[in-house]
Amino acid sequence: RAHSNPFSDHQLEYPVSPEEMDWQKLYPHFFDEATSKMTKEVTIADIGCGFGGLLIDLSPEFPENLILGMEIRVQVTNYVEDRIIALRSNNAATNGYQNISVLRGNAMKFLPNFFRKSQLEKMFFCFPDPHFKQRKHKARIITNTLLSEYAYALKEGGIVYTITDVLDLHQWMVKHLEEHPLFDRLSTEWEKNDKCVQIMRHATEEGKKVERKKGDKYVACFVRLPNPTIM
Amino acid sequence: MIHPIQTAVVNRDGSVVFCVIKNMIQVFRWDQTKSEFVAAGQWVDDEDSSNAIKKKVSEEQQRQRAENEAKRRKIEDDAAESETAKRSRRHKDAKVPVPGAGAPPVYNHVRNLALSRDEKLLYACTDSDKALVVFALDFDKENCLILQKRQPLPKRPNALTTTQDDKQVLVADKFGDVYSVDARGSDVVDVSKGNLEPILGHVSLLTAVAIVCDADGKQLLVTADRDEHIRLTHYPQTYIVDKWLFGSKQFVSTLCVPEWGTNLLFSAGGDNFVSSWNWQSGELVDALDIDELVNPFLGDAQLAPSKFQDESNSLVEYAVSKLVTFSNLPYVAFFVEQTRALFICKVDPLVGKLMLVQTIEMSLNIVSLSSALSADSIMVTLDHRDSENAHLAAFITWDGTQFSVDGEKNISFHNCITEKLHEDPVASTEAQDIYPLYSVATLRKRAEN
């Protein structure tokens, strides 16, 4: 299935709170048996990770970070899971790909169940569902109301990455992020020098498909600003 | 028979009662000198919902036409107009959909009554046009309800509160958004033009909304939803989320903010416990297990729907419908939907621990619950459809040591409301035509893949 309705009650597993999340099963390599605690926590999230191409390319670039893909479609999540298992076993000697994992979830509803305030450094939104119909716009992953939840999970200076081949959606995402008081757009100069932007342009399966079709790719990156004084 | 009172609100000192019966608001005042209730005002929502639907359909039609037109312009040269385009120019009027045979009945009722903090205004939400209706209250007039404005909203409103200064009404809807509407004046915003933007949103049906104030007097908006979430957001900077209160396992249906306990907040819903939170620290300070208290009062009404029932047909599901408190008395009262029992708990105002102190069994199922904050009294409305001449409501008051049913007040209210409404065409109904009074249970999530 190409789509999944983010508003319906899926059979989802999610922790009651971030403290109750069992990260051990997702990142066993980063679990310390002696203290029964994780040695690292997730700091990079790929929301709607699809087939996992971005995770796999980010993994060696950020060996010190735990990277999580969230995907709402069951079969796609299973595929990415299998892919990561295979990569881990093929790279067992170097402990490669231990820092990436995937879970099935609805980020639009349950992101705060997984991440504490200011936990994340980077959030990726790569080729999200465009939801062309106007009355479906609330189903878009970037809306001014959801951005406040992303801002909660991101630390100051954290980055939101967006990429799409749909111009209308690109303009929509830019408009909403620019309007949001807690985000500021980063320059094209910054984009040029950022390795994640390069990876994001080429790593994802959607990105490759667009390349084959010689379509356009629109990138926009935003930095999480400090909270203003509370009134 | 008179239709049951779907919801009621009592003012702080308990002297005025606002009741919703179908699409009508009825106001009754306690006359101290006569020691009885007197009718004080009424309002009937006579808005025809087909107008709102028609407006919406025509707007959508116009939007689609404009879109098609734009597409057509893209493909063709403007000069050479094709036959199909010409045909599409001969517009027909928008067709308003009519429910077919067997479709569930549409109720155009009033919901979500609330008073402004200064009790000078009454707010209500209407089904007919999904509007917030604002009334000024003037008890010197024969009819105390003076319609100020009617603000339609994009989606069905489901809960409301006001800011500390009473300047804005915050309306939470079934789509998960909260809108801020100017509480005073008569200006109406045209929502169809997209002029009303939500100030915050959940991707879940919102069930309750409240305002809390921190030690510096700064306001936070509390919103509860069908996905177990209770969120605190700064107000008016609603783009800054403060925190979530984690610990609910099922949908949240009711929130209650006491004036006597700094930082305390109570919630309940589909869980088998009532939650007491320190919203400042985000901690669940107590979860009062209510299984044992509630069990004796459950019946067939609480059996899970057959589709979700277990093999022994014994799966019971219940939900707390409403939780209320008082201004100075550290007690909370709550009831479980479609049961007769009212539970009253004493709260330790310092740590928020809950302790059941009283169970009051009514003769009929409770429909709604409201408290007179400073009078330490409670009003419940009752489902009297199966018992001729039974009371539509009951008053329960604090005598200094415990709560007890106020028989005299009940009789006075009964006499007043029956006299006022026994021949009222709006209020009268047949038992089978009664509005579904129990809708909280339907909030329970049923997972699909």
Side-chain angles (χ1 to χ4, degrees):
Chain A
R1 261 208 317 189
H3 304 281
S4 190
N5 182 357
F7 300 129
S8 57
D9 300 334
H10 297 104
Q11 211 138 25
L12 293 173
E13 273 182 41
Y14 50 90
V16 168
S17 69
E19 282 66 40
E20 294 190 23
M21 177 63 193
D22 179 14
W23 293 106
Q24 181 197 351
K25 58 181 184 200
L26 295 183
Y27 305 96
H29 186 69
F30 293 89
F31 183 75
D32 184 349
E33 297 284 349
T35 59
S36 284
K37 279 189 180 142
M38 294 292 293
T39 56
K40 287 194 183 299
E41 59 179 16
V42 174
T43 52
I44 300 176
D46 182 8
I47 309 300
C49 67
F51 294 93
L54 183 75
L55 298 173
I56 287 157
D57 281 18
L58 286 176
S59 174
E61 292 291 335
F62 295 93
E64 295 305 308
N65 295 65
L66 296 193
I67 307 166
L68 181 73
M70 283 180 109
E71 174 56 49
I72 197 167
R73 295 164 293 175
V74 186
Q75 276 85 355
V76 179
T77 316
N78 293 344
Y79 169 83
V80 181
E81 241 171 47
D82 292 346
R83 210 174 157 185
I84 294 173
I85 290 168
L87 281 167
R88 282 182 184 173
S89 70
N90 292 343
N91 295 275
T94 58
N95 279 325
Y97 300 101
Q98 293 288 346
N99 65 333
I100 55 170
S101 196
V102 66
L103 61 81
R104 193 216 170 185
N106 182 343
M108 291 168 69
K109 279 175 177 275
F110 301 111
L111 200 72
N113 291 63
F114 292 95
F115 304 120
R116 285 180 296 100
K117 197 177 203 165
S118 312
Q119 181 175 335
L120 298 179
E121 291 167 14
K122 296 177 193 296
M123 288 179 87
F124 289 87
F125 298 91
C126 301
F127 302 97
D129 190 337
H131 291 288
F132 289 109
K133 287 181 185 163
Q134 196 191 345
R135 44 185 285 274
K136 293 262 169 102
H137 281 180
K138 190 172 168 167
R140 285 182 167 171
I141 194 90
I142 301 283
T143 61
N144 46 15
T145 53
L146 273 174
L147 281 172
S148 303
E149 299 200 0
Y150 304 152
Y152 168 89
L154 276 170
K155 65 181 199 181
E156 272 180 33
I159 312 284
V160 164
Y161 292 85
T162 72
I163 184 166
T164 175
D165 58 324
V166 181
L167 179 59
D168 177 52
L169 178 63
H170 170 68
Q171 287 164 345
W172 162 281
M173 293 196 289
V174 169
K175 174 179 180 280
H176 286 86
L177 275 149
E178 277 180 343
E179 279 172 5
H180 199 283
L182 298 181
F183 291 101
D184 229 359
R185 187 161 185 185
L186 293 159
S187 66
T188 42
E189 193 59 35
W190 182 93
E191 287 174 18
K192 250 180 235 158
N193 295 319
D194 185 78
K195 61 182 171 186
C196 291
V197 173
Q198 304 317 313
I199 296 171
M200 178 171 74
R201 276 181 175 280
H202 305 292
T204 70
E205 284 70 15
E206 278 296 319
K208 285 174 187 154
K209 198 163 96 188
V210 175
E211 232 156 75
R212 282 197 300 277
K213 290 183 178 168
K214 302 205 162 39
D216 292 316
K217 286 185 222 173
Y218 307 98
V219 171
C221 303
F222 291 80
V223 61
R224 164 68 155 94
L225 299 171
N227 283 349
T229 314
I230 303 291
M231 293 198 287
Chain B
M1 68 183 287
I2 298 172
H3 191 282
I5 302 168
Q6 293 126 264
T7 181
V9 160
V10 190
N11 70 346
R12 290 184 74 94
D13 67 9
S15 62
V16 186
V17 174
F18 303 87
C19 302
V20 172
I21 294 172
K22 288 166 54 175
N23 58 333
M24 174 167 68
I25 301 173
Q26 283 286 339
V27 190
F28 301 96
R29 191 171 53 80
W30 178 254
D31 189 319
Q32 198 64 48
T33 49
K34 290 191 216 158
S35 226
E36 63 179 29
F37 275 104
V38 289
Q42 68 169 15
W43 178 77
V44 179
D45 177 25
D46 50 13
E47 177 84 17
D48 182 358
S49 67
S50 63
N51 288 337
I53 297 170
K54 185 154 190 173
K55 192 164 169 244
K56 212 170 168 186
V57 172
S58 349
E59 273 162 18
E60 174 63 16
Q61 192 187 37
Q62 270 168 22
R63 193 192 61 76
Q64 284 179 11
R65 271 192 202 134
E67 207 176 270
N68 293 345
E69 188 77 356
K71 272 189 202 154
R72 188 185 61 79
R73 286 234 178 89
K74 260 190 200 164
I75 338 173
E76 306 171 16
D77 193 32
D78 256 356
E81 205 170 340
S82 78
E83 268 311 299
T84 47
K86 272 182 195 157
R87 226 179 298 136
S88 76
R89 286 287 170 84
R90 292 192 289 273
H91 300 311
K92 280 183 190 159
D93 242 12
K95 251 192 204 165
V96 176
V98 270
V106 177
Y107 297 98
N108 282 318
H109 287 175
V110 174
R111 300 166 190 245
N112 317 315
L113 279 191
L115 281 162
S116 62
R117 285 165 208 266
D118 64 10
E119 300 199 332
K120 286 181 178 159
L121 300 172
L122 177 76
Y123 307 108
C125 295
T126 56
D127 276 350
S128 54
D129 54 350
K130 303 189 181 96
L132 171 74
V133 189
V134 182
F135 301 94
L137 298 172
D138 184 349
F139 291 98
D140 293 332
K141 294 227 160 64
E142 198 187 322
N143 184 356
C144 67
L145 296 175
I146 303 145
L147 182 67
Q148 299 291 290
K149 73 163 155 189
R150 186 171 187 134
Q151 171 68 62
L153 292 154
K155 299 284 169 185
R156 199 175 292 280
N158 204 30
L160 54 94
T161 189
T162 63
T163 54
Q164 283 294 324
D165 60 8
D166 265 339
K167 284 188 178 154
Q168 297 286 315
V169 191
L170 307 170
V171 190
D173 71 25
K174 291 203 169 189
F175 204 43
D177 292 323
V178 177
Y179 292 90
S180 179
V181 178
D182 185 10
R184 285 140 205 273
S186 55
D187 294 346
V188 172
V189 181
D190 187 353
V191 278
S192 67
K193 298 211 167 72
N195 292 337
L196 201 58
E197 286 278 338
I199 58 166
L200 72 87
H202 295 214
V203 180
S204 183
L205 186 154
L206 289 174
T207 55
V209 57
I211 284 269
V212 292
C213 270
D214 69 11
D216 304 324
K218 287 171 182 170
Q219 301 178 81
L220 292 111
L221 188 55
V222 192
T223 39
D225 72 25
R226 207 180 145 240
D227 284 321
E228 316 93 37
H229 285 140
I230 301 173
R231 180 177 136 176
L232 274 89
T233 313
H234 290 284
Y235 184 90
Q237 293 150 304
T238 49
Y239 52 86
I240 308 173
V241 179
D242 174 54
K243 63 170 75 67
W244 274 266
L245 300 179
F246 292 114
S248 310
K249 305 272 172 65
Q250 289 287 345
F251 67 88
V252 181
S253 65
T254 177
L255 290 174
C256 168
V257 178
E259 293 169 22
W260 39 261
T262 339
N263 305 341
L264 287 183
L265 181 124
F266 308 99
S267 75
D271 280 320
N272 60 352
F273 54 89
V274 170
S275 300
S276 169
W277 309 89
N278 179 332
W279 60 262
Q280 193 80 264
S281 68
E283 191 191 352
L284 178 64
V285 289
D286 196 15
L288 178 78
D289 189 335
I290 57 172
D291 256 341
E292 267 178 46
L293 345 171
V294 166
N295 258 324
F297 301 99
L298 303 180
D300 288 353
Q302 281 76 31
L303 282 176
S306 52
K307 223 169 127 186
F308 311 104
Q309 196 45 266
D310 61 9
E311 279 165 11
S312 60
N313 199 38
S314 59
L315 181 62
V316 165
E317 292 174 340
Y318 63 84
V320 173
S321 182
K322 183 93 189 221
L323 191 61
V324 297
T325 184
F326 312 94
S327 292
N328 301 306
L329 197 62
Y331 283 70
V332 294
F334 67 91
F335 76 101
V336 167
E337 190 175 56
Q338 229 167 334
T339 67
R340 298 174 171 202
L342 181 70
F343 301 102
I344 295 167
C345 293
K346 193 173 179 178
V347 190
D348 178 336
L350 291 176
V351 291
K353 290 274 178 221
L354 298 159
M355 189 176 71
L356 180 83
V357 289
Q358 235 183 309
T359 303
I360 298 175
E361 188 175 353
M362 310 305 301
S363 53
L364 299 166
N365 279 350
I366 300 172
V367 175
S368 79
L369 165 67
S370 167
S371 72
L373 287 169
S374 58
D376 302 336
S377 75
I378 293 167
M379 177 188 180
V380 291
T381 68
L382 302 165
D383 183 353
H384 68 131
R385 73 182 109 183
D386 296 325
S387 30
E388 202 71 30
N389 298 322
H391 289 181
L392 278 78
F395 297 84
I396 295 150
T397 48
W398 171 252
D399 66 8
T401 47
Q402 62 167 358
F403 284 91
S404 49
V405 177
D406 189 335
E408 264 175 59
K409 215 170 180 182
N410 290 353
I411 291 166
S412 170
F413 184 77
H414 183 72
N415 292 342
C416 183
I417 196 166
T418 31
E419 192 186 304
K420 178 82 197 293
L421 298 178
H422 77 283
E423 280 178 349
D424 188 292
V426 178
S428 75
T429 188
E430 297 299 323
Q432 72 270 16
D433 296 333
I434 288 170
Y435 169 81
L437 297 170
Y438 309 110
S439 59
V440 177
T442 61
L443 292 170
R444 194 170 296 273
K445 289 199 283 184
R446 310 291 182 186
E448 47 179 286
N449 247 315

